[in-house]
Amino acid sequence: MDPPTPESLALSTADPLTSHFTSLNDLAQELASLQDLATRGSWRSILDKVTRARAQSLLTKPHDHLVYFTYNVLALTKLRRFTDAAGEIDSLEDLNSLRYKYEGYPDVYPGRVGSMVPFSLRWMYALIPMKLGRRQDGLDRLYVLLDFVRRKVKEKREIGSVDVWRRREMFVMNGIIGVHLNQKELAACLSLIKELLNRDYTDPVLVSKLGYIQMQMGDLEGAKSSFNAVQGMVEKEEGSEMRNLVSRNKALVFMVGKDYVSAVREYEECIERDGSDVVAINNKALCLMYLRDLSDSIKVLESALERVPTVALNETLVVNLCSMYELAYVNHGDVKRTLSSWIARVAPDDFDTASTRI
C-alpha cells in the first residue's frame, strides 16, 4: 500500500502567500471557509463558492483571483475532472510572468515584491498532465518545478529563511521518486533518494524509503541493512510513529520471505500502538488473506472502517476488501452494494466510488 503523500495539496497558513496577513480572511473573501471545506473534502462546495464569488464580483485584488483560482483547480483535480482542471490552468500565462507578481501592481501592493502564485498551483500544473496520460509532460514539469524550488532555496539561504522551501524541495523530489517508482525506473529512484540522503542520513523515513527501493531492486541484504539503520536511529524514540515505522519495515522483510505469520505479528504490534495505522491494518489483512484466513482478513478491514472511518476510508483498502468479498462470498455483489451505500454517506467528495467494483 502506498504511503500517504508527504504534504497536503491544500493551501495552508504556512504558505508564504498567506504569512503576511493576520487571518485568512484578510487575504481573500471568505478564504477561511474555503480552507475548512478543503480540510473536510467538500470539493463540490468549493466549486460553488468560487463560482458565486466570481459572479458577485467579490474578488477585488489580483491575489484574490489567484487564490480562488487555485482552490478551484484543486477541487476539480480532487473530483477527477482533470480535463476541466487542465483547461483552467491552460488559461494562465507563464506563472513567472509579471502579471502574477506583486510588483506588477505597485498601486495595490506598494513596496511588495515576489510571486503571488501559491506553491499548490505550481504543483498541480505539473501533476495534471500525468492524470491525463501525458506522463512525460508531467515528469518534465516536475523537474522544472524542482529547479524552481532549488533556486528559491539558494535565494532564501542568502537571506536566512529557507525551511519552507527545503520542505518543498523534498516534497517535489518525493513526488518525482513516486513517478519513477510507479514505472519501476528504480535506478532513477535510487539516484534521487541517495541525493537526499547525502544531505542528511539521519532521517529514518528517507532511509526506510531507500530500503524499500533496494527491496524492489532485489537487494534484500541492502534493504535489511537500511532497515537496521532505521532501527538504530529510533531505538530511543518513545512515540508510536517511529516504532511503527521499524515494525512495518520488519514486516516487509517477512512478507518478501513469505513468512506471513511473523509479518502479522509485527503489524499487530503497530495497530496496538496506533489503532489508526492504516498501512499496518491493510497489510495485516493482506497477510491473513495469503494465509487463507479470509474471514479474519475481512474482519480486520471492516473493523477499521467502523472504528476509524476518516482514516481507513482509503481507496486501496476498499479495493482490497472488495477483492476479499469476491473470494469469500457467492453473493458478494450484495455485500459490496451495502459497503458502497455506507461509503456514499460518509466519504468525502473525492473518494473514488469505483473502488467497490460493483
Side-chain angles (χ1 to χ4, degrees):
M1 179 178 177
D2 291 335
T5 55
E7 182 174 326
S8 169
L9 285 181
L11 291 167
S12 72
T13 53
D15 193 289
L17 179 61
T18 64
S19 62
H20 299 280
F21 299 86
T22 57
S23 76
L24 286 169
N25 283 334
D26 287 339
L27 176 60
Q29 179 76 18
E30 295 187 347
L31 184 56
S33 65
L34 285 179
Q35 179 70 18
D36 180 59
L37 290 170
T39 302
R40 292 189 279 118
S42 299
W43 305 108
R44 294 186 183 89
S45 296
I46 287 177
L47 294 181
D48 290 342
K49 269 190 171 291
V50 171
T51 299
R52 283 202 307 273
R54 288 171 171 174
Q56 297 172 13
S57 300
L58 298 177
L59 310 178
T60 58
K61 295 183 178 180
H63 70 249
D64 290 353
H65 289 278
L66 199 53
V67 171
Y68 267 64
F69 182 93
T70 300
Y71 271 105
N72 198 54
V73 173
L74 176 61
L76 290 170
T77 303
K78 289 288 188 177
L79 293 170
R80 296 174 179 80
R81 292 172 55 181
F82 302 123
T83 301
D84 292 337
E88 287 277 294
I89 282 184
D90 288 345
S91 71
L92 297 175
E93 298 175 1
D94 176 9
L95 294 180
N96 297 316
S97 74
L98 185 62
R99 180 180 179 184
Y100 304 122
K101 294 182 178 180
Y102 290 110
E103 55 264 42
Y105 308 90
D107 293 338
V108 182
Y109 309 106
R112 291 202 62 185
V113 298
S115 175
M116 294 185 290
V117 178
F119 177 74
S120 301
L121 185 56
R122 295 183 185 275
W123 172 256
M124 286 184 289
Y125 176 77
L127 178 71
I128 287 171
M130 286 185 282
K131 297 297 186 180
L132 292 171
R134 294 167 18 222
R135 177 182 178 273
Q136 192 57 52
D137 286 348
L139 192 57
D140 290 345
R141 290 183 182 186
L142 277 175
Y143 276 105
V144 169
L145 178 58
L146 181 60
D147 288 341
F148 171 83
V149 171
R150 284 175 169 170
R151 288 198 303 273
K152 290 295 183 182
V153 168
K154 185 176 180 180
E155 292 171 8
K156 299 299 180 181
R157 186 188 298 126
E158 292 171 356
I159 62 173
S161 174
V162 72
D163 289 347
V164 168
W165 287 101
R166 275 293 188 196
R167 288 196 299 271
R168 288 172 174 176
E169 181 185 16
M170 182 170 288
F171 175 66
V172 175
M173 290 184 74
N174 273 292
I176 294 172
I177 289 169
V179 173
H180 285 305
L181 191 59
N182 187 53
Q183 295 295 314
K184 304 297 182 185
E185 296 165 349
L186 301 176
C189 294
L190 193 60
S191 175
L192 287 163
I193 200 76
K194 284 185 175 179
E195 182 181 345
L196 287 171
L197 288 170
N198 281 339
R199 301 177 194 168
D200 181 10
Y201 199 84
T202 63
D203 184 336
V205 176
L206 272 180
V207 179
S208 292
K209 184 167 287 189
L210 171 63
Y212 178 73
I213 292 170
Q214 290 169 318
M215 189 173 286
Q216 292 283 303
M217 298 179 77
D219 181 9
L220 185 57
E221 291 307 311
K224 288 179 180 178
S225 176
S226 295
F227 292 155
N228 287 337
V230 172
Q231 186 169 1
M233 291 175 192
V234 304
E235 59 185 356
K236 295 182 180 179
E237 294 278 347
E238 296 183 358
S240 63
E241 183 179 357
M242 289 297 104
R243 293 171 68 189
N244 277 19
L245 178 64
V246 170
S247 291
R248 290 197 302 268
N249 289 343
K250 290 180 179 178
L252 277 177
V253 174
F254 286 133
M255 288 183 73
V256 169
K258 294 184 168 51
D259 183 357
Y260 300 119
V261 172
S262 296
V264 166
R265 183 180 65 246
E266 294 293 339
Y267 289 130
E268 284 176 342
E269 289 183 7
C270 291
I271 296 166
E272 286 175 8
R273 285 190 290 260
D274 177 6
S276 63
D277 187 333
V278 70
V279 176
I281 291 165
N282 180 78
N283 290 359
K284 176 188 174 183
L286 289 178
C287 289
L288 290 170
M289 184 181 71
Y290 296 146
L291 290 167
R292 300 183 181 180
D293 189 352
L294 272 174
S295 177
D296 277 357
S297 65
I298 288 171
K299 287 178 183 176
V300 168
L301 298 186
E302 288 182 334
S303 173
L305 287 170
E306 183 178 345
R307 286 186 299 103
V308 284
T310 56
V311 176
L313 197 53
N314 172 286
E315 287 153 18
T316 301
L317 188 149
V318 170
V319 166
N320 289 337
L321 178 56
C322 289
S323 297
M324 293 170 191
Y325 284 155
E326 290 166 6
L327 292 170
Y329 304 130
V330 174
N331 63 334
H332 56 77
D334 294 339
V335 183
K336 290 195 293 184
R337 274 188 285 274
T338 300
L339 174 64
S340 183
S341 297
W342 176 80
I343 288 172
R345 293 196 303 273
V346 302
D349 291 345
D350 58 321
F351 188 85
D352 186 2
T353 55
S355 60
T356 58
R357 302 195 306 203
I358 292 178

